[in-house]
Amino acid sequence: MTSPDGDIDGKPCVTIRCQDNSSVGVTFCDRFSFDQDSVHYAVEAWAPGLTARVNEVVAWTWDNDLTTFLEELAAGYRGWDGERTWHTMDRDLAVSAVFRSGGYIGLTWTIRPWRSAAGDWSTSVTTWLEAGEQMSCLASDVRHFLAGERTVLPSGQ
């Protein structure tokens, strides 16, 4: 499930928790921008025994963005064969999606620091969401986050 949250400083963030295991997830946070051509943000991934963060993922306004990819996945709620993939231009964030019977989408989130960063590491976590409403909410939450807008969940969610 996804939730547009506010962190301690009141800054917007989006958290994606695996429906099958809530101790696995991804958070988009610390959004900032230097100009109108790009948005910078951090991505944190976690699972039992794992916590990882990439501090400066860049979304270019003229590039194929993550929200379009997520919206296309949500529109394909009846399923598809194979794997669908997306990545940032710098490949510091990549997402692959598979459809599982029963109407669930597995999103494998891979983060890695820029090529010039020390250590040359990468990590991946997989979150499972319902293909319909949860994917639509995720796409909307990420769109609002990248645009710098705040979203509020209705009471009880």
Side-chain angles (χ1 to χ4, degrees):
M1 296 202 265
T2 68
S3 62
D5 302 314
D7 65 13
I8 295 171
D9 297 329
K11 296 177 184 176
C13 63
V14 174
T15 299
I16 303 107
R17 285 183 177 81
C18 180
Q19 182 169 318
D20 292 351
N21 182 348
S22 64
S23 66
V24 176
V26 176
T27 296
F28 291 73
C29 56
D30 298 336
R31 179 196 180 282
F32 67 96
S33 185
F34 293 117
D35 54 41
Q36 294 182 352
D37 294 328
S38 64
V39 175
H40 302 248
Y41 56 97
V43 179
E44 299 173 349
W46 72 91
L50 170 74
T51 302
R53 177 181 168 111
V54 172
N55 283 319
E56 204 169 319
V57 175
V58 180
W60 298 97
T61 56
W62 43 264
D63 196 13
N64 180 18
D65 74 359
L66 176 59
T67 56
T68 302
F69 176 72
L70 296 173
E71 288 167 350
E72 289 170 357
L73 295 177
Y77 66 92
R78 294 184 190 265
W80 65 84
D81 292 325
E83 181 179 76
R84 296 181 179 182
T85 61
W86 174 90
H87 59 80
T88 61
M89 193 171 83
D90 295 320
R91 297 184 183 269
D92 43 2
L93 172 63
V95 183
S96 63
V98 295
F99 190 85
R100 175 169 74 181
S101 64
Y104 293 92
I105 296 175
L107 298 170
T108 299
W109 306 86
T110 301
I111 59 174
R112 63 179 57 90
W114 288 13
R115 291 179 207 112
S116 61
D120 194 29
W121 60 267
S122 71
T123 194
S124 299
V125 297
T126 300
T127 57
W128 288 94
L129 302 174
E130 291 177 3
E133 187 64 25
Q134 286 184 353
M135 279 304 303
S136 293
C137 287
L138 173 58
S140 176
D141 292 347
V142 170
R143 179 172 299 286
H144 289 291
F145 171 78
L146 291 175
E149 302 167 3
R150 291 191 179 272
T151 57
V152 178
L153 286 176
S155 297
Q157 288 192 8

